[in-house]
Amino acid sequence: TGQAQESLLMKLQDLGLMLLINLIWSFFFIAAKFSLEHFPPLMFTAIRFVLLLAVLFPLLKIHKGQMQRVLGIALALGALTFGFIFAGLALSDASVIAVASQLGVPFSALLSVIVFGEKASVRRWAGIALSFSGVLVITFDPTAFRFVVGMALVVAGVFCGAAGAVFQSKLKDVGVFQLMAWVAAIAAPVMIAASLIFESGQLEAIQSADLAVWGGSIYVAYASTLIGDLGYFWLLRRYEVTRIAPMVLLTPVFAVALSVLILDDTLTWRM
């Protein structure tokens, strides 16, 4: 009985952590959209990972026999995921992008089933179907037609993130903080180079940024990553992907509500 109660307590704690992650991620879209009104998207992605690397650099460690996989996962979770997502968010409303981002649920579940042979229950497949249907509905919303390019970029980023998350869930003896340190170490120079090649006005943007803009950048770098992303990766080490992924469906619900209240995004019946 004692073990059963302890097991139940741990499950409740994990559910509480998942709820907190959803709340943190919902504010992520608001903070990022605010900062992206000032910074070019690739530059903003670089800033995020430079800030993160400044904290996690001491945790960089060579993992013999696993570095090829670690670096591949780091590239997918960092530069590819957020390069696409921030570029898409800069072109779209935060509420539309928050809903589109829920495709991470079916992408993660399908990849885990196809690549690793995980089993998904009927309830989990229902969550996957709900994610697809939600994105399908807003795709045909006239309001969302203005953001087709932005949505496509976000979908590409979400797929990269789902692939990275699925493969990182199978890493052995690589702590989540150590992995995130490599994500930042790979993404920071890649995104700095990309910004210098494809964007301009970086120095002026840094000099003219006010405290609110930097606050959004700091939130995205630290709260969203060190609590949200790392908490999610930690849960993926404890449970199957098909069990954890559907739990992020609360994020777009919270994000849409916050986008309407804070950013004055348009709320339609389809969203």
Side-chain angles (χ1 to χ4, degrees):
T1 302
Q3 291 180 342
Q5 290 177 343
E6 183 178 354
S7 176
L8 177 61
L9 179 61
M10 290 302 295
K11 290 180 180 179
L12 289 175
Q13 289 175 340
D14 292 343
L15 287 172
L17 175 59
M18 197 67 239
L19 178 61
L20 176 62
I21 290 169
N22 277 282
L23 287 169
I24 289 172
W25 280 349
S26 64
F27 276 104
F28 162 89
F29 291 100
I30 310 303
K33 181 62 177 178
F34 186 80
S35 294
L36 283 166
E37 295 292 335
H38 183 83
F39 291 125
L42 300 181
M43 177 188 176
F44 179 64
T45 310
I47 289 172
R48 181 199 190 200
F49 287 109
V50 167
L51 291 173
L52 192 58
L53 184 60
V55 173
L56 297 180
F57 183 79
L59 299 180
L60 285 175
K61 177 184 177 182
I62 300 296
H63 299 275
K64 294 182 179 180
Q66 297 195 82
M67 283 310 299
Q68 185 174 356
R69 177 174 291 187
V70 167
L71 294 178
I73 292 171
L75 179 63
L77 290 176
L80 294 179
T81 295
F82 290 99
F84 282 126
I85 286 178
F86 289 150
L89 186 55
L91 298 173
S92 312
D93 279 354
S95 55
V96 174
I97 296 307
V99 176
S101 69
Q102 70 180 306
L103 280 175
V105 175
F107 286 161
S108 296
L110 290 172
L111 285 170
S112 66
V113 170
I114 294 170
V115 178
F116 295 113
E118 290 187 8
K119 304 298 182 181
S121 66
V122 174
R123 183 182 301 177
R124 293 173 196 168
W125 282 118
I128 293 170
L130 180 63
S131 298
F132 271 123
S133 62
V135 175
L136 186 63
V137 167
I138 68 165
T139 299
F140 292 100
D141 189 328
T143 302
F145 279 141
R146 294 180 293 142
F147 309 124
V148 170
V149 175
M151 288 180 63
L153 289 170
V154 169
V155 169
V158 168
F159 179 82
C160 292
V166 167
F167 280 96
Q168 77 82 30
S169 69
K170 304 301 180 182
L171 279 179
K172 302 297 182 183
D173 301 320
V174 180
V176 289
F177 281 93
Q178 294 173 346
L179 176 62
M180 189 53 66
W182 279 110
V183 170
I186 296 298
V190 169
M191 298 315 300
I192 289 173
S195 179
L196 291 174
I197 293 170
F198 297 109
E199 297 173 336
S200 60
Q202 292 91 339
L203 183 59
E204 293 83 356
I206 290 175
Q207 291 175 336
S208 61
D210 58 24
L211 289 177
V213 171
W214 285 114
S217 304
I218 290 170
Y219 180 91
V220 168
Y222 295 137
S224 175
T225 303
L226 296 182
I227 300 175
D229 293 355
L230 291 177
Y232 183 66
F233 295 157
W234 182 78
L235 289 172
L236 286 175
R237 301 288 180 93
R238 294 169 61 86
Y239 302 99
E240 289 185 343
V241 174
T242 52
R243 183 174 183 181
I244 294 299
M247 293 183 182
V248 304
L249 289 175
L250 282 174
T251 295
V253 176
F254 295 150
V256 168
L258 290 169
S259 298
V260 172
L261 291 173
I262 298 174
L263 301 177
D264 292 325
D265 283 0
T266 303
L267 180 65
T268 67
W269 70 269
R270 291 179 183 272
M271 286 197 293

